[in-house]
Amino acid sequence: MVDFDTIFKEYVPMLIGADNFVHASVVVPIIYIDGICNFIFEVRSSSLKHQPGEVSFPGGKIEFGEKAEDTAIREFCEEIMCSSDKLRIISEIDTYLSPSRALIHCFLAEVDSSINLNIKNCEVESVFCVPLKYFIETEPEKYTNRLAVVPDEEFPYNRMNISESYKWGSPSYPVYFYEYEDKLIWGITANIARNFVKKLDSML
């Protein structure tokens, strides 16, 4: 007889299918400049293979055996070129599940106002700040993307007793755009920022 009570007593639920996802972490960094709370964003280097020139939060892929929070701190320090004492993690906030099969852990952090943001390296073209107030007061543009389900060429329709015209559905997801001065903040980064300010508003 299997002792399910003992086996599952301290079981931590996971996501089925998560092995097929890219696991990453980002810092959602806030900094106070002249008493005003800002988000820090980076413009990714144009020489990068993935998302060159796009605006993002500092972050990257979780390495094997690494905790999500440790990844966020490591990536922030590497990309922003600072030591970890310039960053104070406040809390893990909502995780972003990307339609492109990425699971992104997000960590809200306060950045020391003395940090040098005038940087450029192999990953980061530049860094800029946007007042939190802008996201609170600005409704982003919204577009809808749809995903197409394409079955395997050898999918066993006959064994499933269904036709090849079977309706798999067409999942959709929103894509948000914020335009601040000459910077376009969109996609995953915009979604994370939007979700944060909406949660913040509901909690105040």
Side-chain angles (χ1 to χ4, degrees):
M1 190 171 181
V2 179
D3 187 356
F4 292 105
D5 291 286
T6 299
I7 294 172
F8 287 93
K9 184 177 181 181
E10 297 183 8
Y11 182 76
V12 178
M14 300 177 69
L15 290 173
I16 297 173
D19 291 347
N20 298 319
F21 280 69
V22 173
H23 292 253
S25 285
V26 300
V27 172
V28 178
I30 57 173
I31 187 170
Y32 284 88
I33 301 175
D34 297 329
I36 297 174
C37 183
N38 293 261
F39 278 135
I40 298 174
F41 294 96
E42 58 185 39
V43 179
R44 292 169 59 82
S45 172
S46 58
S47 63
L48 290 174
K49 184 178 180 181
H50 300 290
Q51 290 103 31
E54 292 187 13
V55 171
S56 70
F57 285 122
K61 185 178 179 181
I62 299 174
E63 302 295 342
F64 180 76
E66 191 174 37
K67 293 181 179 179
E69 182 174 334
D70 293 337
T71 298
I73 295 171
R74 172 178 58 76
E75 290 284 348
F76 181 90
C77 293
E78 289 176 0
E79 295 172 14
I80 306 299
M81 302 171 66
C82 69
S83 57
S84 60
D85 62 352
K86 296 294 185 182
L87 182 73
R88 180 178 68 85
I89 299 293
I90 297 171
S91 174
E92 182 169 10
I93 53 179
D94 294 348
T95 299
Y96 181 77
L97 181 60
S98 166
S100 58
R101 303 188 73 78
L103 195 64
I104 304 173
H105 300 268
C106 304
F107 293 86
L108 177 66
E110 183 175 358
V111 179
D112 194 300
S113 60
S114 67
I115 195 171
N116 175 26
L117 295 179
N118 185 25
I119 62 168
K120 181 176 180 178
N121 54 53
C122 62
E123 292 187 72
V124 180
E125 183 67 29
S126 63
V127 171
F128 66 97
C129 295
V130 181
L132 177 62
K133 184 179 179 181
Y134 165 80
F135 290 93
I136 294 173
E137 297 179 345
T138 304
E139 191 65 29
E141 293 179 52
K142 178 184 174 182
Y143 300 89
T144 300
N145 281 359
R146 296 191 180 280
L147 300 174
V149 177
V150 181
D152 188 294
E153 290 183 0
E154 299 180 1
F155 191 83
Y157 289 98
N158 57 329
R159 290 168 56 195
M160 299 290 293
N161 197 28
I162 58 177
S163 71
E164 293 189 18
S165 61
Y166 183 83
K167 302 297 184 183
W168 294 97
S170 181
S172 63
Y173 63 96
V175 183
Y176 296 102
F177 288 76
Y178 291 97
E179 193 163 3
Y180 180 78
E181 296 181 347
D182 63 338
K183 301 293 193 300
L184 187 63
I185 304 163
W186 70 284
I188 292 174
T189 303
N191 208 324
I192 292 172
R194 176 182 177 275
N195 181 74
F196 173 76
V197 296
K198 285 194 170 296
K199 285 294 180 70
L200 179 64
D201 181 61
S202 69
M203 296 167 70
L204 291 177

